[in-house]
Amino acid sequence: SIKRLFNVHLANMEAMASYKANLYPGDVTLIRAEDSAGHTNDWQQHIDGKIETRVVPGGHDSMLEERYVDAIAQLFKECTDC
Protein backbone atom coordinates (compact mmCIF):
# COMPACT_ATOMS: atom_id res chain seq x y z
CA SER A 1 0.00 0.00 0.00
CA ILE A 2 1.05 3.64 -0.38
CA LYS A 3 1.05 4.17 3.38
CA ARG A 4 3.41 1.23 3.90
CA LEU A 5 5.78 2.50 1.17
CA PHE A 6 5.73 5.97 2.71
CA ASN A 7 6.54 4.53 6.15
CA VAL A 8 9.46 2.55 4.71
CA HIS A 9 10.73 5.67 2.94
CA LEU A 10 10.41 7.68 6.15
CA ALA A 11 12.28 5.03 8.15
CA ASN A 12 15.06 4.99 5.52
CA MET A 13 15.38 8.78 5.67
CA GLU A 14 15.57 8.73 9.47
CA ALA A 15 18.22 6.01 9.39
CA MET A 16 20.30 7.97 6.86
CA ALA A 17 20.05 11.14 8.93
CA SER A 18 21.23 9.44 12.13
CA TYR A 19 23.99 7.22 10.65
CA LYS A 20 27.56 8.24 11.44
CA ALA A 21 30.16 6.35 9.42
CA ASN A 22 33.57 5.50 10.83
CA LEU A 23 36.65 6.91 9.14
CA TYR A 24 38.06 4.38 6.65
CA PRO A 25 41.77 3.88 7.47
CA GLY A 26 43.17 3.41 3.96
CA ASP A 27 43.29 4.48 0.34
CA VAL A 28 40.31 3.97 -1.98
CA THR A 29 39.53 3.94 -5.66
CA LEU A 30 36.39 5.92 -6.40
CA ILE A 31 34.55 4.86 -9.54
CA ARG A 32 32.58 7.77 -11.00
CA ALA A 33 30.32 7.81 -14.05
CA GLU A 34 31.43 10.38 -16.63
CA ASP A 35 27.91 11.83 -16.87
CA SER A 36 27.70 12.40 -13.10
CA ALA A 37 28.24 15.78 -11.54
CA GLY A 38 30.95 14.17 -9.43
CA HIS A 39 31.26 15.32 -5.86
CA THR A 40 34.46 13.37 -5.29
CA ASN A 41 35.72 15.71 -2.58
CA ASP A 42 32.71 14.80 -0.44
CA TRP A 43 34.28 11.39 0.15
CA GLN A 44 37.49 12.74 1.68
CA GLN A 45 35.79 13.36 5.02
CA HIS A 46 35.24 9.58 5.31
CA ILE A 47 38.68 8.42 4.14
CA ASP A 48 41.96 8.58 6.06
CA GLY A 49 44.04 8.06 2.94
CA LYS A 50 44.22 8.95 -0.72
CA ILE A 51 41.32 8.81 -3.15
CA GLU A 52 42.05 7.81 -6.72
CA THR A 53 39.12 8.73 -8.95
CA ARG A 54 38.51 6.59 -12.03
CA VAL A 55 35.87 7.62 -14.56
CA VAL A 56 33.78 5.11 -16.50
CA PRO A 57 31.30 5.69 -19.34
CA GLY A 58 27.64 6.33 -18.68
CA GLY A 59 25.66 7.89 -15.89
CA HIS A 60 25.19 6.91 -12.26
CA ASP A 61 22.12 4.83 -13.11
CA SER A 62 23.39 3.47 -16.44
CA MET A 63 27.07 2.63 -15.85
CA LEU A 64 26.23 -1.02 -15.13
CA GLU A 65 24.21 -1.47 -18.31
CA GLU A 66 25.51 -4.02 -20.80
CA ARG A 67 26.92 -1.36 -23.15
CA TYR A 68 29.24 -0.05 -20.41
CA VAL A 69 30.01 -3.16 -18.38
CA ASP A 70 33.22 -4.03 -20.28
CA ALA A 71 34.78 -0.73 -19.17
CA ILE A 72 33.94 -1.40 -15.52
CA ALA A 73 35.17 -4.99 -15.78
CA GLN A 74 38.50 -3.74 -17.16
CA LEU A 75 38.75 -1.20 -14.35
CA PHE A 76 38.10 -3.88 -11.71
CA LYS A 77 40.77 -6.05 -13.30
CA GLU A 78 43.28 -3.19 -13.21
CA CYS A 79 42.46 -2.41 -9.59
CA THR A 80 42.80 -6.01 -8.41
CA ASP A 81 46.00 -6.66 -10.36
CA CYS A 82 47.89 -4.01 -8.34
Side-chain angles (χ1 to χ4, degrees), residues 9-59:
H9 174 73
L10 186 61
N12 287 339
M13 298 306 287
E14 290 172 358
M16 284 180 12
S18 64
Y19 180 75
K20 302 294 181 222
N22 293 325
L23 190 63
Y24 181 75
D27 298 337
V28 300
T29 300
L30 177 66
I31 300 171
R32 185 176 69 80
E34 70 182 352
D35 294 345
S36 297
H39 300 286
T40 56
N41 291 338
D42 293 347
W43 285 99
Q44 192 61 61
Q45 64 186 323
H46 304 291
I47 310 297
D48 186 26
K50 296 180 214 166
I51 298 177
E52 177 188 4
T53 302
R54 303 289 296 268
V55 179
V56 295

